[in-house]
Amino acid sequence: MELEVRHLRALCAIADTGSLHRAARHLGVAQPSLSTQLRRIEQELGGPLFLRAHTGCRPTPLGRLVLSRARPLLAEMQLLVVEARAAAGGGTELRIGSTASKALAGWLRRLRAHGQNPTLHMNVSANALLRMVLDGQLDVAFVHEVEGCPLRIPPELRLRVLVEREPQFVSLPVDHPAASKPEVDLRDLAGDRWMIDPTVDGEWDAVQRMFRAADVSPRVLHGDYHTADALVATGEVVTVCQPTRTPRPDMAVRRLKGDPLGVRLLVAARTETALAGVCPALEEAYGEVARQAPAYREWLERAPQGTARLLGSRRPAPDGPRRPPSPALP
């Protein structure tokens, strides 16, 4: 077997996500297929590249050597593709990576209206997206950093802070007793089943800390948030959600008392020029979805001025410190 670019990309995905399961999800392949591919790569290179444990995968010394050569090769290959497309007259794509956000559609629409040609790469792992920006596979990444769980931000990247602290709300069945109030106490949800996506960087640990601080221990199920939405609607679970989530006839979105869980919204790129080209459109798009979410709009109207500006401002987001410390959960 000869090594190919897709093999190098698979190795980097395993290293970046820390597990075969998350890497397979990132690459869009089945986990057994990725495991088989890894064994063949290891046979070709003459030794194990990762140590497997119940906590995940970490590179062996041989793996670190291979990764140190694979990453620049992938970056050069991606640059070759971009430059070739531009030379062929196809225009230069703006490669955007993002974790889930209601603001994405409006952001892409605004960028296209300003003559840019964005493409979108979604990933639940903010750390993986930041690594892709560093490696030249993406131009910009819009990510969230869960409070108390700092991201591994490469020092070479430039950052802007879109929102210093976005509170996380709760999504629950519309006929749930707690849905009758605009603000929900965690203790009123202690008897419910919760669904959390453990593949989202920092999410599981932060939610568990939130429960411990409130002295509750609800049953927690693993699942992605698309599945969680369906189960919330049928009354099976409740789940944390972004405040820009709009309610539905079968689903209510409510604030959590005391705002015990928050995230920081960041935009990362390799240059300040790249950030300046995308951040104004993103702030406009984010403000638009914030105004359309009743519970979040009310929260913002009571928030400090620096956050409330999102409801009406059209100015570019201010530069934030490159790596301010993330506040810990209570």
Side-chain angles (χ1 to χ4, degrees):
M1 182 191 80
E2 291 187 359
L3 281 183
E4 301 175 12
V5 171
R6 63 189 178 93
H7 298 142
L8 301 182
R9 189 172 291 116
L11 295 179
C12 291
I14 296 170
D16 291 340
T17 62
S19 84
L20 285 169
H21 171 73
R22 288 193 290 268
R25 184 171 174 177
H26 167 70
L27 295 167
V29 301
Q31 183 175 333
S33 175
L34 182 60
S35 298
T36 299
Q37 186 178 79
L38 176 59
R39 285 196 297 271
R40 290 175 177 170
I41 295 172
E42 290 177 328
Q43 290 171 1
E44 175 68 19
L45 296 179
L49 301 177
F50 294 93
L51 295 174
R52 283 81 147 181
H54 70 279
T55 54
C57 298
R58 56 189 180 88
T60 63
L62 176 60
R64 289 194 293 271
L65 172 64
V66 173
L67 288 165
S68 70
R69 299 296 298 273
R71 294 191 190 281
L73 287 173
L74 287 173
E76 285 298 319
M77 180 61 70
Q78 187 62 44
L79 183 60
L80 184 153
V81 171
V82 170
E83 291 180 351
R85 286 175 177 171
T92 302
E93 292 179 342
L94 174 63
R95 300 161 300 162
I96 293 175
S98 181
T99 49
S101 172
K102 292 280 287 183
L104 286 177
W107 187 23
L108 297 178
R109 184 176 69 250
R110 285 170 170 80
L111 291 173
R112 291 192 183 99
H114 286 87
Q116 300 191 62
N117 182 26
T119 61
L120 182 62
H121 176 91
M122 298 294 297
N123 198 313
V124 297
S125 172
N127 283 311
L129 291 171
L130 293 172
R131 173 59 68 176
M132 291 178 72
V133 175
L134 180 65
D135 290 346
Q137 299 175 57
L138 294 172
D139 299 307
V140 177
F142 174 38
V143 299
H144 68 269
E145 179 180 59
V146 179
E147 199 167 61
C149 302
L151 295 173
R152 299 187 296 273
I153 301 175
E156 298 89 344
L157 298 186
R158 312 303 300 173
L159 297 181
R160 287 201 187 179
V161 179
L162 178 69
V163 179
E164 184 61 46
R165 188 179 192 272
E166 179 194 76
Q168 300 301 280
F169 288 1
V170 63
S171 176
L172 63 165
V174 71
D175 58 356
H176 193 291
S180 62
K181 308 172 185 177
E183 187 175 71
V184 177
D185 192 310
L186 268 176
R187 291 170 294 185
D188 294 335
L189 304 176
D192 290 280
R193 290 183 298 270
W194 289 67
M195 179 164 278
I196 303 298
D197 189 345
T199 64
V200 177
D201 293 332
E203 190 100 334
W204 178 262
D205 290 340
V207 170
Q208 291 298 325
R209 286 197 298 272
M210 179 180 72
F211 290 152
R212 288 195 296 271
D215 196 25
V216 298
S217 54
R219 183 183 177 192
V220 181
L221 310 178
H222 291 187
D224 65 85
Y225 287 120
H226 292 295
T227 302
D229 276 354
L231 294 180
V232 168
T234 59
E236 292 293 325
V237 301
V238 300
T239 187
V240 295
C241 68
Q242 296 174 356
T244 50
R245 181 78 168 86
T246 50
R248 304 183 335 200
D250 54 3
M251 181 188 301
V253 176
R254 297 290 183 265
R255 305 190 308 271
L256 284 169
K257 185 176 181 180
D259 296 330
L261 184 64
V263 303
R264 190 167 63 130
L265 302 183
L266 303 171
V267 189
R270 292 186 299 279
T271 67
E272 290 290 344
T273 301
L275 289 175
V278 299
C279 284
L282 177 56
E283 182 170 341
E284 286 190 12
Y286 186 87
E288 180 179 60
V289 296
R291 291 189 295 274
Q292 294 170 354
Y296 192 29
R297 184 176 64 243
E298 181 182 347
W299 186 94
L300 284 169
E301 288 170 348
R302 298 184 292 107
Q305 184 176 3
T307 304
R309 66 180 169 77
L310 293 166
L311 287 175
S313 173
R314 290 297 182 270
R315 292 169 299 177
D319 289 349
R322 295 191 62 231
R323 294 197 63 179
S326 298
L329 287 172

